[in-house]
Amino acid sequence: MTTANDVGTELGLADELQQLYLQTKSEVGAADLAHIRHVTAYGQAIDARRLELLREGSPRAVGRAVVLEMLYRLMQFSELGHNIIHGSYDEVADNGEYHSERYRWDFNVDVDHWKTMHHVGHHPNTNILGKDHDLGYSIMRGMDGQDWFGHHIFQTAIISAIVAVLPQSAPFALANIARQVEGRRFFSAYTLRNPVKIAARDALRRYVREPVAAGPKFLPALFGNYLGGVAGYAAVLFLVMIEHHAGELEMFSDPGPDETPDQYYERQFRATRNFLRSPRLDAYLERVLVEEVPFDNRPDFRIFYGGLDTHIEHHMFPDLPPTKQREVASAVRAIAERNGMPYHETALLDTVPMIGKALARLSVPLGEQEIGRPLRLLAHPVSLLRRVVFGLGYRSLPESPYRNKAGFYNVRTKVVSSTLVANGQARSIRLQMPRGWDAVRWDAGAFVSVRVEIGDEVLVRQYSLVHDSDSSDAMEICVKRVEGGRVSNRLNDELRTGKYVTLVGAPTTSGGLAMDAVPSKSLFIAGGVGITPIISLLRRIVRDAPNSDAVLLYFNRDDKSIIFEHEIRELARKSGVRVHLFTDVPSLRSHVAPERLSRQLIRRCVGDAADRETYVCAPPAMIDLARGWMSELGLPDERFHAESFTPPELERPADDGHRYTVRFRRSDRSVEINGATTLLEAATSVGIRVPTGCERGLCRACVTPKLNGTTREEVDGLRLDRITVCTSTACSDIELDL
């Protein structure tokens, strides 16, 4: 048996839990398999006695049959199916029917739907709004941070109606969650075909065959089967509901692809609850079992709660058998305490009023900010009206008023101002800092990634911030029109003051134009919209070291394309910055020269170019020319800093003739590719939509969990569980969570 003392105290949260898991997993074996076989036999005995009691037909017999049905369903869900389908016994020798791919689960679920909903949707994304569709089970509002929609005002009545037919409605509710995870339509063969079969089969057994088999006791058996089914499935629903809803449990915004293992396990602790069993309730139920079901070596009563009363342990280690989850509970609690994590436990009977009150409270449009202060919203009638209007129209409010926690991935933010510049060829856009971003800081030269959905495509583009965080309380970008530009032109056409835009993450400084300290002498070369990161560097120089020696060489197509010209000249007037403007075509303005970048131009304008820190932002070809000429002029490579706003050509490996199969688990699709094809291209070829941005692995919009296989980036032995599919190529068969 594993104890808390077996785990080292010098490790971090994730390392401690992984050490405990590996040690415990190695101990899973024949004894655990024998236990689950014994539990199955006990369940068969319970179900057989239930049928005998139905045939007796007396009120007492039917009442006890209802209790046995409830317990049988609890056992089927918890100790048996829920854990077996997780693969708890897959690695045990001679596991037979207890392998996750072979087990026949006596519960009204489609196993494929269950795996999609539970394994793909719920466990990795526990309590993440918009990704964990177990939050409210796609019907109810179970947490304060969820959006309020019109039907929620009747959610107590709706849930009651569903519970009244729960054995038949369960497979449809499950299928609805699975199709949301998959991004499918509700009215489709995938969603409805198998649930119809499951519901019909259960109804035939429950309301026809078994009552008919009871002969003259048809009506009592029918009534008992109805009550037993409702009681059993309702008990499961309630126990599952309390694991992640209401009370002190937390809900999260999408953490994005950079969530660390420590953060992942912290989220599981903060979002999950164990319940403490009721001795009185257990004693009554156990007495019924002892009196009604003769069975040698009766298992511990906790088999009816397996994986539910130890749900924290289940979320830390989903594929451990419930016997092992119970063994490691004290060790997991100790790890939580050592790492400052909560370990939520609530007495089972206390959760009944807690859930009831939560469902009633959440039927009105109150959010996390109004917890304990419901009248606060009345002081803001316009905000309340917006919530009601949008909720009745089944639209989410862009300002996310129900959530109090800051989000940092795919965050909607408001456009404070939107102004045309450069004679209408570009738009200056000022963005409000999202809620909770007060502590976010960024350097001159940073950028933000903007997410735009065009039809079925999700596109991500990077735009430089024209101020650092020390000189602005908002984020400002400048988006220039580009011939054929799908995102930039759309933003120019549509992004007006008061609109909202989605940011993939907080501002990022990629390192290309990072300026650790203001140099005494510097040279800046900008081409077109490449001025946007450069001007933030110039603003910092003027603010922090106005007497430093700086030169700007700024190139454009014509004098109408010059962005920030007035401010650039104002910065030069206030400081030692010298400005040179150049265009491809002649200009009537005397201070704009018709010249292109060349070695001679650099030597003429900047005689001491070799002595300056040099910063370049322009198209790749222009950067390459500048790098070569500056090197010829004597500039050391380490003093040349560049960033291109155009993605460089991907360096592909040569096609060596090998072919690899890429399987997309969630979409149930596959494709054969060569070693020179990116996994993003593989996904696109079979119609799978992946958010794309820089396509050079920087913005991380396309990060995807890799379930199996090896990419070329891993050939040196580095194991990657999450990869940027835009730059990854295969050197084995690959399985992705797409």
Side-chain angles (χ1 to χ4, degrees):
M1 176 177 176
T2 305
T3 67
N5 293 329
D6 295 326
V7 182
T9 59
E10 300 300 320
L11 302 173
L13 176 62
D15 290 335
E16 277 203 78
L17 288 168
Q18 279 299 303
Q19 181 174 311
L20 176 62
Y21 167 76
L22 292 173
Q23 180 177 337
T24 309
K25 186 69 173 175
S26 68
E27 298 168 0
V28 176
D32 301 284
L33 189 59
H35 164 81
I36 210 66
R37 292 187 190 280
H38 192 59
V39 169
T40 300
Y42 190 33
Q44 292 168 346
I46 292 171
D47 196 44
R49 179 55 183 158
R50 174 186 68 85
L51 293 174
E52 291 174 357
L53 290 169
L54 289 177
R55 288 191 287 270
E56 288 182 27
S58 68
R60 182 179 184 278
V62 170
R64 293 214 156 186
V66 169
V67 173
L68 294 184
E69 165 98 6
M70 182 190 72
L71 290 171
Y72 177 77
R73 291 297 157 201
L74 275 174
M75 177 197 293
Q76 279 295 322
F77 180 84
S78 55
E79 193 87 358
L80 293 171
H82 179 211
N83 287 285
I84 294 169
I85 300 300
H86 264 294
S88 296
Y89 307 95
D90 282 5
E91 297 173 22
V92 180
D94 301 320
N95 53 33
E97 71 273 27
Y98 294 97
H99 191 281
S100 60
E101 298 296 328
R102 295 188 290 270
Y103 185 68
R104 302 297 297 269
W105 193 359
D106 188 13
F107 204 76
N108 285 358
V109 299
D110 176 88
V111 171
D112 287 336
H113 286 169
W114 173 265
K115 289 180 178 179
T116 298
M117 179 274 288
H118 194 67
H119 298 10
V120 177
H122 174 56
H123 269 270
N125 305 303
T126 307
N127 279 28
I128 294 176
L129 188 65
K131 297 189 76 173
D132 182 6
H133 298 288
D134 270 21
L135 274 176
Y137 302 105
S138 77
I139 297 172
M140 67 183 184
R141 186 167 180 245
M143 298 289 278
D144 300 84
Q146 288 180 266
D147 287 350
W148 180 88
F149 296 118
H151 71 277
H152 288 141
I153 197 167
F154 306 111
Q155 71 176 10
T156 302
I158 291 171
I159 294 168
S160 299
I162 291 172
V163 168
V165 290
L166 196 52
Q168 280 69 52
S169 62
F172 294 97
L174 180 71
N176 187 46
I177 301 173
R179 68 95 189 168
Q180 287 180 300
V181 174
E182 294 272 86
R184 299 174 185 254
R185 294 179 298 107
F186 179 78
F187 291 102
S188 65
Y190 169 83
T191 305
L192 297 177
R193 181 176 53 208
N194 285 350
V196 167
K197 292 179 181 178
I198 292 167
R201 183 174 64 240
D202 181 81
L204 182 64
R205 177 186 64 82
R206 188 177 300 280
Y207 304 131
V208 179
R209 289 176 180 165
E210 291 182 358
V212 167
K217 302 298 182 179
F218 176 88
L219 288 179
L222 178 67
F223 183 64
N225 261 3
Y226 170 74
L227 287 183
V230 170
Y233 283 90
V236 170
L237 175 63
F238 178 75
L239 292 182
V240 170
M241 187 186 302
I242 67 178
E243 310 295 358
H244 300 289
H245 292 84
E248 72 283 19
L249 300 184
E250 297 181 39
M251 191 193 75
F252 300 86
S253 298
D254 189 347
D258 294 318
E259 184 180 44
T260 66
D262 280 353
Q263 291 168 339
Y264 168 84
Y265 284 114
E266 178 178 353
R267 176 163 55 81
Q268 301 297 337
F269 273 118
R270 295 189 180 281
T272 310
R273 172 191 288 120
N274 287 352
F275 66 81
L276 300 172
R277 295 177 298 143
S278 166
R280 288 180 57 191
L281 177 61
D282 286 2
Y284 165 73
L285 295 173
E286 195 160 13
R287 186 171 69 251
V288 172
L289 285 167
V290 170
E291 292 175 357
E292 296 294 343
V293 184
F295 195 79
D296 293 335
N297 193 21
R298 197 181 302 271
D300 186 283
F301 189 80
R302 291 187 71 179
I303 61 168
F304 296 102
Y305 302 132
L308 299 180
D309 63 333
T310 55
H311 209 61
I312 294 172
E313 288 69 30
H314 175 70
H315 264 257
M316 300 300 142
F317 318 124
D319 65 341
L320 283 187
T323 46
K324 294 301 186 213
Q325 293 171 27
R326 293 188 277 269
E327 285 183 15
V328 302
S330 61
V332 171
R333 180 195 291 271
I335 291 172
E337 291 174 354
R338 277 197 295 275
N339 289 274
M341 294 292 104
Y343 189 88
H344 300 302
E345 290 182 307
T346 305
L348 178 59
L349 297 185
D350 290 346
T351 62
V352 177
M354 178 182 71
I355 293 292
K357 290 176 182 176
L359 291 176
R361 184 186 78 247
L362 296 172
S363 65
V364 295
L366 299 175
E368 292 177 337
Q369 298 181 64
E370 292 86 37
I371 295 177
R373 295 175 290 177
L375 298 180
R376 179 179 178 182
L377 190 56
L378 296 178
H380 303 279
V382 174
S383 177
L384 175 58
L385 181 62
R386 275 177 59 81
R387 295 188 190 189
V388 172
V389 170
F390 272 71
L392 291 175
Y394 287 82
R395 292 180 296 156
S396 294
L397 282 158
E399 64 267 30
S400 304
Y402 299 103
R403 280 172 275 170
N404 198 27
K405 235 178 218 179
F408 293 93
Y409 183 73
N410 285 344
V411 179
R412 300 273 284 168
T413 189
K414 189 175 183 178
V415 176
V416 177
S417 65
S418 178
T419 309
L420 287 174
V421 296
N423 295 287
Q425 296 185 51
R427 183 172 289 277
S428 178
I429 301 164
R430 190 174 173 84
L431 303 173
Q432 186 179 66
M433 291 295 289
R435 183 175 61 247
W437 283 32
D438 297 342
V440 172
R441 315 299 297 167
W442 65 91
D443 297 328
F447 65 85
V448 289
S449 295
V450 175
R451 174 188 173 110
V452 175
E453 295 191 21
I454 301 178
D456 290 335
E457 286 188 273
V458 178
L459 303 176
V460 179
R461 297 292 185 267
Q462 289 70 47
Y463 296 102
S464 295
L465 292 162
V466 300
H467 294 276
D468 63 16
S469 55
D470 289 339
S471 60
S472 179
D473 59 356
M475 295 173 289
E476 186 177 339
I477 60 177
C478 187
V479 182
K480 190 174 183 179
R481 287 187 175 276
V482 179
E483 185 176 351
R486 302 176 65 195
V487 175
S488 296
N489 294 347
R490 186 185 181 112
L491 295 180
N492 267 276
D493 291 337
E494 299 180 2
L495 215 52
R496 301 293 187 268
T497 302
K499 297 286 188 179
Y500 283 78
V501 67
T502 300
L503 302 181
V504 174
T508 302
T509 302
S510 66
L513 294 181
M515 182 187 285
D516 297 331
V518 176
S520 59
K521 299 175 72 174
S522 54
L523 168 62
F524 299 92
I525 301 174
V529 76
I531 192 64
T532 51
I534 296 295
I535 198 170
S536 68
L537 299 172
L538 294 174
R539 284 168 169 160
R540 180 183 173 189
I541 287 176
V542 173
R543 183 189 70 222
D544 296 345
N547 296 321
S548 65
D549 182 358
V551 178
L552 169 65
L553 308 180
Y554 184 18
F555 299 84
N556 278 281
R557 183 184 306 109
D558 52 48
D559 56 16
K560 293 181 180 180
S561 305
I562 301 173
I563 306 174
F564 302 123
E565 181 180 3
H566 176 75
E567 184 176 358
I568 289 169
R569 294 198 174 282
E570 187 65 19
L571 290 172
R573 188 184 64 79
K574 294 178 180 178
S575 67
V577 176
R578 287 178 284 147
V579 175
H580 299 273
L581 302 180
F582 305 97
T583 56
D584 293 344
V585 298
S587 170
L588 296 177
R589 296 155 62 183
S590 59
H591 56 274
V592 179
E595 246 183 295
R596 296 193 177 191
L597 181 65
S598 66
R599 182 173 55 239
Q600 292 76 16
L601 182 148
I602 296 172
R603 183 183 292 124
R604 185 176 74 245
C605 295
V606 198
D608 58 351
D611 300 328
R612 294 174 180 268
E613 291 290 329
T614 300
Y615 301 86
V616 184
C617 187
M622 189 173 178
I623 290 176
D624 291 341
L625 289 172
R627 179 180 282 108
W629 289 327
M630 292 301 296
S631 179
E632 290 177 13
L633 291 171
L635 182 75
D637 290 346
E638 64 270 15
R639 299 182 70 179
F640 186 91
H641 314 280
E643 184 171 272
S644 173
F645 50 84
T646 303
E649 190 77 19
L650 176 69
E651 293 186 10
R652 298 176 184 271
D655 181 3
D656 59 5
H658 287 90
R659 295 294 180 265
Y660 310 104
T661 298
V662 182
R663 179 176 176 237
F664 305 95
R665 179 181 289 183
R666 272 192 285 138
S667 305
D668 194 23
R669 300 175 195 175
S670 61
V671 64
E672 186 177 80
I673 62 171
N674 60 35
T677 301
T678 69
L679 299 181
L680 174 61
E681 292 166 338
T684 303
S685 71
V686 292
I688 296 174
R689 169 176 142 176
V690 182
T692 58
C694 66
E695 296 193 18
R696 50 179 168 157
L698 294 178
C699 73
R700 299 182 64 76
C702 67
V703 167
T704 300
K706 179 174 65 66
L707 305 176
N708 288 299
T710 304
T711 64
R712 197 161 299 275
E713 291 72 23
E714 300 172 282
V715 292
D716 292 331
L718 175 65
R719 166 73 183 179
L720 298 174
D721 294 324
R722 302 173 71 84
I723 59 173
T724 52
V725 293
C726 68
T727 58
S728 296
T729 53
C731 57
S732 80
D733 291 344
I734 299 283
E735 185 176 25
L736 298 175
D737 185 21
L738 282 172

